[in-house]
Amino acid sequence: RSWSLAGGAAEFAALALCLSVLVWPIKTGRYLLPVVPLLGIYLLLGLREARAWLMTRLLLAPRASAVASAGGVAAACAVLLGLGVRDAAANVVRLKRGAAPSAYYADRPEWARYLEAADWLRDHATPGDVAMARRHFALYVYSGHYSDKYRFDTSPEELAYLTEGTARKYVVEDAFDFLRGDFAPLPAALRARGGDLLLRYETAAPPVRVWELVRPR
């Protein structure tokens, strides 16, 4: 019934977007953000229909139905409050670990090590240096240095892009196992063209490495 009353292009778009996120190769929930308001509306419509169905099946009086609805809203608010308190307490615990961003993410080691590499770049790279990484925006935010997206592609076009220019470049080998791209073939591909990668920094496990690019002569 709600579908017939509120159906339209938005409903079909929300359904298609939710289904596409389920099969998208990159695991992230940010693509669902445009449909979150719609999902909230659908939830309210569903609750309204469930209330009407219960009133019909259980022969509830309108007053009893209103009390039940108020109780449901109060229970939902209590659950949300509990989740908020839990998250706030976890946030306080993380903040007490130290001022370094890597300390905040200690329970997510692949991120903690990545941010340690960003700290190293902040301290050792010069203003004109460029960092190449799969998570380039986070690297830019936490290192303060210009970063460009690079998925370790070894095609001739991508290798030419990697080695072009004169600025010193660093390639960050991260520990994210859900991102596209494989670092392993890259050193051999560069050596075959007369270039190389020199290890400048390595974190503890799971290892994140910062390599300096040596351009072909």
Side-chain angles (χ1 to χ4, degrees), residues 60 63-73:
L60 294 177
R63 181 177 180 81
S65 176
V67 172
S69 299
V73 171

Side-chain angles (χ1 to χ4, degrees), residues 9 67 74 80 89 96 106 138 150 183 211:
V67 172
L80 292 175
K96 288 182 177 179
Y150 181 59
F183 178 84
W211 302 83

Side-chain angles (χ1 to χ4, degrees), residues 90-120:
N91 190 48
V92 170
V93 171
R94 294 189 184 102
L95 290 174
K96 288 182 177 179
R97 294 171 183 165
S102 57
Y104 183 88
Y105 288 99
D107 53 347
R108 300 172 64 184
E110 70 281 4
W111 270 108
R113 303 296 174 258
Y114 194 70
L115 297 181
E116 289 173 7
D119 287 339
W120 185 89

Side-chain angles (χ1 to χ4, degrees), residues 28 43-44 68 86 121 149 159 165 175 180 195 197 199 202:
T28 177
L43 175 62
L44 294 176
R86 183 200 63 180
L121 284 170
K149 195 176 192 69
L159 288 177
R180 223 173 17 163
L197 290 172
L199 182 62
E202 181 176 1

Side-chain angles (χ1 to χ4, degrees), residues 21 26-34 36:
V21 169
I26 301 176
K27 299 177 182 178
T28 177
R30 63 184 178 182
Y31 301 119
L32 286 174
L33 291 178
V36 167

